[in-house]
Amino acid sequence: MNICPKCGKTSDEIRFIGPFCEECFEFKIKFPKKLEYLICSKCGMVRMRGKWGKYDQKAVEEDIAGRFRGSFERADYYLDSETAIFYYNIDGKIYEVERKFSVNFVKVNCPECVRKSGGYYEAILQFRGEKKKREFFANQAYGWLKKKTFVSKVVERKEGIDLYVGRGKTVVEFLKDMGWTYRSSRKLSGEKEGKRFYRTTYVVRFE
Ligand SMILES: [Zn+2]
Ligand SMILES: [Zn+2]
């Protein structure tokens, strides 16, 4: 018969894990000192493991669960109750250990939203030629581009419509998708993070 050195209960009364009864046995779990996630207050994106992505509660919970260390077999984390559950398998018996753990969500503006609000753009897409067509297609382009990047400015001119677009690559994708012929010109417009920064203007003309 074992006697628990902490509480004095015996192995006749309660199950034992090593020298201690299962109530007194210490499950050693290492928690991160501080766990913080950046979350964008404008678009709701979250920064996880150095990358910005769409907020997905399950993915965040899994990420948190992956930060705990110990001899448990599995850990689950629940944001709503700020609870972690650890599953131990000791001599074939499963033990569930519950611990409270809170995570900080720090509200910031993500780089994409910072660019957007700063009027950032990499490309200008110009619609020229026949008025009705250029208006129709500029409108269509605006909807398409907004889903994949952002349009920081729309300028209506006498000769046509200019869209100032966040990402240049997305404009090229769009033009290819539409199968239009276009002209493009690149202009050096300063430096960004030590590199030369170019802006490209694309012109589509409708007959
Ligand atoms: Zn005990
Ligand atoms: Zn954002």
Side-chain angles (χ1 to χ4, degrees):
M1 187 185 71
N2 286 327
I3 298 170
C4 176
K6 264 196 177 167
C7 69
K9 279 185 188 149
T10 68
S11 50
D12 291 341
E13 302 166 68
I14 193 167
R15 223 185 305 243
F16 269 60
I17 305 170
F20 295 102
C21 79
E22 68 175 35
E23 279 172 3
C24 295
F25 181 81
E26 252 187 80
F27 292 92
K28 286 209 178 80
I29 302 159
K30 222 180 142 204
F31 293 90
K33 273 210 186 78
K34 197 172 127 189
L35 191 53
E36 223 172 60
Y37 290 88
L38 300 182
I39 191 156
C40 179
S41 49
K42 285 212 168 104
C43 70
M45 298 256 267
V46 66
R47 191 168 193 261
M48 238 167 62
R49 308 241 172 205
K51 264 188 162 177
W52 285 94
K54 256 202 184 129
Y55 180 86
D56 169 3
Q57 181 162 333
K58 256 202 113 201
V60 175
E61 287 174 336
E62 274 172 23
D63 190 62
I64 297 165
R67 311 280 183 145
F68 306 121
R69 294 287 170 266
S71 56
F72 50 83
E73 290 217 314
R74 204 183 94 220
D76 286 336
Y77 184 79
Y78 302 96
L79 270 171
D80 295 336
S81 54
E82 299 197 307
T83 308
I85 297 173
F86 301 91
Y87 299 88
Y88 285 84
N89 183 342
I90 298 168
D91 301 328
K93 192 183 183 295
I94 305 294
Y95 295 87
E96 269 181 41
V97 180
E98 206 181 293
R99 292 279 189 277
K100 288 277 175 194
F101 181 76
S102 29
V103 176
N104 287 330
F105 286 93
V106 182
K107 286 199 169 163
V108 296
N109 287 337
C110 74
E112 196 79 0
C113 286
V114 167
R115 283 194 198 115
K116 209 188 288 186
S117 63
Y120 176 94
Y121 62 96
E122 290 175 0
I124 306 172
L125 178 54
Q126 299 182 321
F127 292 83
R128 298 290 182 265
E130 206 272 318
K131 198 166 186 283
K132 272 206 175 124
K133 277 186 193 161
R134 78 189 185 209
E135 274 172 5
F136 175 81
F137 286 117
N139 209 24
Q140 190 182 30
Y142 180 77
W144 195 98
L145 293 165
K146 259 188 78 174
K147 274 185 220 149
K148 303 214 169 181
T149 175
F150 56 88
V151 178
S152 48
K153 202 162 53 165
V154 179
V155 181
E156 292 196 37
R157 302 177 192 282
K158 246 198 279 166
E159 63 273 25
I161 299 164
D162 294 358
L163 305 184
Y164 289 71
V165 187
R167 302 220 167 275
K169 260 194 221 163
T170 316
V171 173
V172 178
E173 251 176 66
F174 172 71
L175 291 169
K176 278 192 182 152
D177 211 60
M178 299 303 284
W180 292 337
T181 33
Y182 59 90
R183 279 186 298 116
S184 68
S185 57
R186 206 163 75 130
K187 223 168 99 183
L188 182 66
S189 44
E191 285 203 355
K192 194 178 76 176
E193 288 144 18
K195 278 189 207 158
R196 284 183 172 191
F197 173 61
Y198 292 90
R199 275 188 180 127
T200 313
T201 304
Y202 300 88
V203 191
V204 205
R205 186 167 290 275
F206 299 94
E207 302 297 322

